Amino acid sequence: MHILVLNGPNLNLLGKREPEIYGHKTLDDVMQELRDRFEGHTFSHFQSNHEGAIVDRLQQTREEDEQGVILNGGAFTHYSYAIRDAISVVKVPVVEVHISHIFAREEFRHTSVISPVCAGMISGVGTHGYQLAADFLIHS
């Protein structure tokens, strides 16, 4: 299986930004853990701080050989109807991932406009959530 790991704003700073909330692992660490744990499967990665770039990359899954998407939309999760609409037109399952427990944080983080069009959501288990999402995609 080929899975796209798609990360939104500020996740390029993972490992440096608020490590008490997000931990010390970087996106490179997350990707290496996925490749090590799920040998025989391939993972591509894309991160952007720009909403339109994420929409464009989601739309590309219609033309690529990717069979699933792990999406940590960051702050876009809470208000991006453009990303929500892009998810709803892709032909592959999308699993929403959050490193922190969004429902135990500020109230504005409790709303996810993308959840209704995702295959599932994993929140609050740190970067291990990426592996749980991959496991779900591979075995569903």
Side-chain angles (χ1 to χ4, degrees):
M1 182 173 218
H2 184 181
I3 298 171
L4 169 64
V5 181
L6 185 54
N7 285 283
N10 298 310
L11 287 158
N12 56 308
L13 299 176
L14 193 60
K16 299 174 185 159
R17 173 186 173 223
E18 300 177 282
E20 66 281 1
I21 295 173
Y22 301 106
H24 294 281
K25 291 181 182 174
T26 66
L27 285 180
D28 287 340
D29 296 333
V30 169
M31 293 306 298
Q32 189 59 53
E33 288 174 347
L34 287 170
R35 292 181 180 113
D36 290 347
R37 179 161 181 210
F38 298 100
E39 288 185 37
H41 300 279
T42 57
F43 296 88
S44 30
H45 180 248
F46 183 81
Q47 185 280 326
S48 182
N49 295 318
H50 305 281
E51 183 179 27
I54 293 170
V55 169
D56 289 343
R57 188 60 186 90
L58 278 165
Q59 290 176 356
Q60 283 178 345
T61 64
R62 295 172 60 93
E63 296 144 18
E64 302 289 329
D65 65 344
E66 294 147 345
Q67 297 153 311
V69 176
I70 298 169
L71 171 62
N72 184 339
F76 292 143
T77 298
H78 313 296
Y79 66 88
S80 178
Y81 295 105
I83 291 173
R84 182 193 194 283
D85 289 348
I87 293 167
S88 66
V89 299
V90 300
K91 305 263 189 217
V92 300
V94 176
V95 178
E96 177 183 359
V97 170
H98 301 283
I99 296 167
S100 67
H101 183 6
I102 62 172
F103 301 107
R105 297 191 60 199
E106 303 92 341
E107 189 170 334
F108 74 89
R109 295 185 197 277
H110 298 182
T111 299
S112 169
V113 300
I114 67 172
S115 284
V117 292
C118 287
M121 179 216 263
I122 299 165
S123 174
V125 295
T127 57
H128 185 64
Y130 290 89
Q131 292 179 38
L132 294 172
D135 190 59
F136 172 79
L137 289 168
I138 290 166
H139 294 104
S140 62

